[in-house]
Amino acid sequence: MRVYEVQKGTTSLEGLRMAQRPDPQPGWHQLLIRVRAVSLNYRDHMVTLGRYFGGAVSRDTIPLSDGAGEVVAAGPGVTRFKAGDRVAGTFFQVWKDGPRSSSPPALGVPLDGTLAEYIALDQDGVVAIPTHLSFEEAAALPCAGVTAWHALMAAGRPVRAGDTVLCLGTGGVSTLAMQLAHAAGARVIVTSSSDAKLERARKLGASDTINYTATPEWEKEVARVTGGRGVDCVIEIGGAGTLARSMQSLGFGGKVCLIGFLGGPTGDTSPFPLMMKAASLHGISVGSTHMFEDMNRAIEQNRIQPAIDRVYPFEQAPDAYRRLASGDFFGKLVIAV
Ligand SMILES: NC(=O)c1ccc[n+]([C@@H]2O[C@H](COP(=O)([O-])OP(=O)(O)OC[C@H]3O[C@@H](n4cnc5c(N)ncnc54)[C@H](OP(=O)(O)O)[C@@H]3O)[C@@H](O)[C@H]2O)c1
């Protein structure tokens, strides 16, 4: 089969190469899946740069955590799926439910990932995809979607109708968060460096938009548009560089869900606003199989279609990576396999 590999020790996109590997065979409890589409996450860019946790990959590794396809064969002991089922793999392969008690291995690093024509996964590391979604749309869900769902619905008090959610930026996690929050009946405020992207965010249900380049003190604008009340949930993808403003954007009893680190390595992270507002800070690490299934029910019920910026053919996978690195996209970048 055709795959891409991030070669051992890689520190640039030059180390992403198309290669041939033997077709995998489904073992005990495993499904053989013909991958139809995969999507990129910021993490995948860091992996090719050798800057993901732990540094460069220590063996030639098939990259990417997110993919959707169809089951072509079931190994012995499989009970949950059959040939022909439309499925996606879960980011963590062995976190079924409940609180995470360890660091389970994830697809794409350290496990071989989804940028391959076939993949064999344990049936417990696979979920059925919403019936109204294409494979390209479903491929957007395993990391970005589940992370957004975890933050909104499983961390602390779940977001409910009438709440206000602040989403930072218009990348994969934030666009899925805005779609899920809007479907739950929440008011959604979105920040972006681009007015054109903010226009697209309004089409996905954002009611208030703030250009964080033109308005660097965006927490003041959040306070203004909420009449001084603040928000109930922040999708915090900036980390240390944005955390202080996120905490200042909160209303009483609100939560900041700490997801990413795109806003730079340093900043004022004084936790004082959390104390004054009886608010909370939740570290988010993608999510469990159970969360993925809960999210898929909500996506199906609300006919949500993840925002796909562009679908690249398999042969042009490096171009998709280059686009990810440029930041010039809205939502998700997908590769058809
Ligand atoms: N903890 C977890 O489980 C988890 C899961 C998924 C992702 N993450 C992390 O979360 C972050 C986002 O991941 P992703 O895959 O959604 O990334 P992505 O799709 O690459 O998102 C990129 C977008 O983030 C926005 N952004 C960058 N710096 C910003 C800032 N200072 N303020 C506001 N927005 C900013 C930009 O939006 P505009 O172009 O609109 O300005 C940019 O286009 C990454 O750090 C990733 O590693 C963590």
Side-chain angles (χ1 to χ4, degrees):
M1 66 169 175
R2 291 186 309 165
V3 305
Y4 277 88
E5 290 176 342
V6 174
Q7 296 183 321
K8 178 180 172 180
T10 290
T11 56
S12 80
L13 192 54
E14 297 305 306
L16 179 73
R17 302 273 170 82
M18 202 189 286
Q20 288 286 332
R21 286 208 191 175
D23 288 1
Q25 298 300 316
W28 169 257
H29 232 233
Q30 279 190 329
L31 303 166
L32 181 64
I33 298 162
R34 171 65 174 96
V35 179
R36 294 294 180 189
V38 298
S39 81
L40 293 177
N41 294 287
Y42 186 76
R43 164 190 197 252
D44 304 311
H45 169 51
M46 299 305 280
V47 169
T48 55
L49 296 184
R51 297 218 304 258
Y52 194 60
F53 304 114
V57 296
S58 56
R59 64 179 177 87
D60 295 351
T61 304
I62 299 175
L64 306 193
S65 56
D66 292 7
E70 59 200 351
V71 176
V72 290
V78 167
T79 52
R80 296 183 64 219
F81 297 99
K82 60 182 186 322
D85 286 350
R86 300 168 77 247
V87 297
T90 59
F91 181 90
F92 292 120
Q93 279 291 289
V94 288
W95 180 13
K96 282 175 75 174
D97 197 7
R100 216 188 74 177
S101 57
S102 62
S103 289
L107 292 178
V109 170
L111 304 174
D112 276 327
T114 56
L115 192 48
E117 289 176 320
Y118 293 91
I119 184 169
L121 297 178
D122 189 283
Q123 66 167 355
D124 289 333
V126 169
V127 300
I129 60 177
T131 54
H132 70 291
L133 295 187
S134 65
F135 288 123
E136 286 82 1
E137 290 167 329
L141 300 177
C143 178
V146 176
T147 301
W149 178 265
H150 184 171
L152 295 167
M153 299 301 179
R157 178 176 77 68
V159 165
R160 56 191 178 214
D163 280 357
T164 303
V165 174
L166 171 62
C167 298
L168 303 191
T170 58
V173 174
S174 294
T175 52
L176 278 150
M178 71 180 87
Q179 291 181 286
L180 292 165
H182 177 63
R187 175 184 180 183
V188 180
I189 303 173
V190 175
T191 71
S192 174
S193 56
S194 152
D195 288 340
K197 291 183 185 181
L198 289 173
E199 181 60 36
R200 292 178 74 174
R202 278 192 284 278
K203 292 193 178 113
L204 287 187
S207 59
D208 305 270
T209 54
I210 305 169
N211 185 316
Y212 64 81
T213 306
T215 310
E217 294 184 327
W218 42 266
E219 76 285 5
K220 292 184 178 164
E221 184 62 8
V222 171
R224 191 189 70 75
V225 300
T226 58
R229 192 184 153 275
V231 305
D232 300 286
C233 173
V234 184
I235 300 298
E236 174 41 276
I237 54 82
T242 50
L243 186 56
R245 296 185 197 286
S246 292
M247 290 190 285
Q248 287 158 21
S249 300
L250 283 177
F252 282 92
K255 62 179 179 181
V256 173
C257 292
L258 186 54
I259 294 166
F261 44 83
L262 297 179
T266 56
D268 168 16
T269 55
S270 164
F272 195 58
L274 295 181
M275 186 178 76
M276 295 307 290
K277 295 173 180 174
S280 54
L281 179 63
H282 299 266
I284 304 295
S285 186
V286 194
S288 66
T289 305
H290 189 80
M291 290 177 205
F292 200 163
E293 289 170 338
D294 281 351
M295 176 188 72
N296 282 351
R297 274 192 295 280
I299 285 176
E300 188 151 330
Q301 186 70 22
N302 292 285
R303 312 301 281 181
I304 292 171
Q305 290 179 287
I308 306 299
D309 187 277
R310 185 162 164 191
V311 181
Y312 290 80
F314 188 74
E315 297 72 18
Q316 292 173 18
D319 290 340
Y321 272 80
R322 275 187 273 275
R323 188 86 180 279
L324 180 75
S326 76
D328 179 23
F329 64 95
F330 177 94
K332 295 291 289 179
L333 295 167
V334 169
I335 300 165
V337 181

